[in-house]
Amino acid sequence: MCGLCGIYASDMGSNHLSAFRLLQLVTQTRGMHSTGLAAYYPEKDKVELYRAVGGLEALATSPDTSFSFDGGWKFIPDSKPRASEKAPLFYDYPELLLGHGRHATIGVIDVDSAHPFEFEDVVGMHNGTMHEYWYTKLDTYDKDMPDSYAVIKKLDQLADDEEATKEFLTTLRGEYCFVWFNRITQTLHFYRNSARSLFMTALSDNKGMAFASEEWMLNAVSNKFNLNLKVVPLGVHQYVVLAIDEIGKITVEVDEEVTPNFTTPPMNVGGYGNYYERYGGNYYDYRSEEVESLYKRVPDTNIWLSRAKFEGVASDGCCICAKDLAWDKFDDIRWHDADTPLCIECHEALEDDSKGAA
């Protein structure tokens, strides 16, 4: 579980920076293995990227990404000597701020694996876990980097081809919410499935917008600064592209047709049930034959087993008689719990004993 947040505005000012700082602070509740921040300056076509292992305090004190906060919640260059010749965090007010709090599920925990990731044409970030059998087949896969890196690098490869980007999104396998900025088209992109949430709100008479992984995070900003914001969820499989027009207004394009060619089962449930119910439909409504061949759901639970996981759990066969249990006869297996598979005969014997004792 990771946290995403950001602000995109043509009229970025100190009030936006204050709101962003608060968003990054509350985003830490979703992950503090590493923290990252990206600022984009359109006039210079430059991204300033700051990442550190740990929470926001680590980001502010890291010698590699050194900067500090003043009392007005603005970012200012650190007066201490720097370990590198990095420029100050903000030359002026940026047009885009992206923030990420990582709770690692795949990959090591270090600065290189912290989000956002910057490539030639794309800077992006991810909340979720991609399925290993899928992302390791991408030509952008790097065994030393997390799953997110491979996907965002692929989006960078496709940055100049919107139709190819959409086609790629339909192939995603896993739990995800991706946010990325395309420097070629000067557009901010959003895409998620039902396994991860994202919320948005308009700012400054539609001259800006803010987003965060959870609704209450934007409500905290609204309450803190008396903004009376209207917060809405990003729809499941809504491909949303934002841009700033010539008069500084945010324009929105929504494509409802970018849907996966199949929907993948959850790798873990976490605390997202309320979001699935409210915004994601039936999270467990999986019908794909491909899914059924790759995962099996333990009855009466929210636990899905891959074949490898099943073979580990059932390696000793039935937990009572040691009878072999086969993946291709999964429906004939009975489960005391997710770690205790039983053959039909032993399960029925247990039920008979239970009825006799009653």
Side-chain angles (χ1 to χ4, degrees):
M1 178 178 71
C2 301
L4 312 177
C5 67
I7 292 181
Y8 185 39
S10 62
D11 60 346
M12 189 82 74
S14 59
N15 56 331
H16 294 91
L17 300 190
S18 297
F20 179 73
R21 169 86 191 269
L22 179 56
L23 279 177
Q24 270 220 301
L25 286 171
V26 297
T27 294
Q28 290 183 111
T29 61
R30 294 179 61 90
M32 291 182 63
H33 285 150
S34 62
T35 301
L37 182 157
Y40 178 68
Y41 301 85
E43 292 182 0
K44 302 177 177 66
D45 187 28
K46 184 174 182 61
V47 174
E48 284 294 329
L49 188 65
Y50 292 83
R51 302 181 296 177
V53 174
L56 193 55
E57 183 178 357
L59 186 69
T61 57
S62 168
D64 295 324
T65 59
S66 186
F67 67 89
S68 61
F69 300 105
D70 71 5
W73 301 90
K74 295 179 182 178
F75 298 93
I76 58 174
D78 198 328
S79 60
K80 294 181 293 185
R82 294 171 178 266
S84 62
E85 295 302 317
K86 279 184 171 289
L89 181 63
F90 291 142
Y91 307 102
D92 197 352
Y93 292 116
E95 186 175 82
L96 172 67
L97 290 166
L98 300 176
H100 190 277
R102 183 184 182 215
H103 184 88
T105 56
I106 292 177
V108 298
I109 299 172
D110 58 18
V111 173
D112 288 340
S113 60
H115 304 225
F117 294 108
E118 181 188 6
F119 298 100
E120 182 177 356
D121 297 315
V122 162
V123 55
M125 54 190 183
H126 168 223
N127 170 28
T129 303
M130 305 309 292
H131 289 179
E132 183 176 4
Y133 77 88
W134 176 79
Y135 79 86
T136 55
K137 296 177 182 177
L138 296 176
D139 60 3
T140 52
Y141 169 64
D142 184 332
K143 65 180 178 60
D144 297 320
M145 297 298 287
D147 52 342
S148 313
Y149 176 92
V151 179
I152 296 168
K153 187 173 182 179
K154 189 66 180 180
L155 291 170
D156 178 71
Q157 283 186 358
L158 303 173
D160 61 350
D161 190 336
E162 185 67 356
E163 290 307 311
T165 295
K166 293 179 182 180
E167 179 62 27
F168 172 64
L169 293 177
T170 69
T171 72
L172 297 182
R173 304 287 190 270
E175 305 163 338
Y176 55 84
C177 177
F178 284 98
V179 179
W180 69 100
F181 184 76
N182 186 323
R183 294 166 67 169
I184 297 176
T185 58
Q186 296 287 293
T187 48
L188 182 61
H189 301 243
F190 301 84
Y191 190 66
R192 76 174 183 97
N193 68 1
S194 61
R196 290 297 183 267
S197 58
L198 194 81
F199 294 83
M200 301 174 164
T201 187
L203 300 172
S204 308
D205 192 28
N206 289 329
K207 288 189 175 182
M209 62 82 64
F211 65 89
S213 289
E214 298 186 40
E215 184 177 13
W216 70 268
M217 296 174 175
L218 292 171
N219 287 335
V221 171
S222 181
N223 294 335
K224 172 72 175 178
F225 300 104
N226 297 315
L227 297 177
N228 193 29
L229 300 177
K230 180 181 178 181
V231 178
V232 297
L234 172 66
V236 174
H237 301 141
Q238 281 187 340
Y239 178 47
V240 175
V241 180
L242 304 183
I244 294 177
D245 67 17
E246 63 276 3
I247 61 172
K249 297 277 189 178
I250 296 284
T251 64
V252 183
E253 291 185 9
V254 180
D255 191 332
E256 305 279 1
E257 302 301 320
V258 186
T259 55
N261 48 37
F262 85 93
T263 308
T264 55
M267 298 182 71
N268 54 67
V269 176
Y272 297 96
N274 60 325
Y275 287 117
Y276 302 146
E277 182 178 346
R278 291 167 62 191
Y279 304 110
N282 182 3
Y283 185 47
Y284 299 105
D285 185 17
Y286 299 106
R287 298 290 185 267
S288 166
E289 291 182 5
E290 186 175 357
V291 170
E292 290 299 321
S293 69
L294 294 169
Y295 295 88
K296 303 291 185 184
R297 183 180 177 187
V298 177
D300 302 318
T301 75
N302 291 329
I303 297 173
W304 293 74
L305 300 178
S306 65
R307 183 167 191 147
K309 189 87 158 191
F310 167 81
E311 290 174 350
V313 171
S315 59
D316 296 325
C318 171
C319 289
I320 294 178
C321 71
K323 177 181 177 181
D324 287 343
L325 301 175
W327 172 260
D328 57 2
K329 295 186 177 180
F330 191 91
D331 291 341
D332 293 335
I333 300 171
R334 301 296 180 261
W335 298 82
H336 178 68
D337 57 41
D339 297 315
T340 313
L342 304 168
C343 67
I344 292 178
E345 293 79 11
C346 288
H347 180 263
E348 290 177 347
L350 283 177
E351 285 194 330
D352 290 343
D353 290 345
S354 177
K355 291 176 182 177

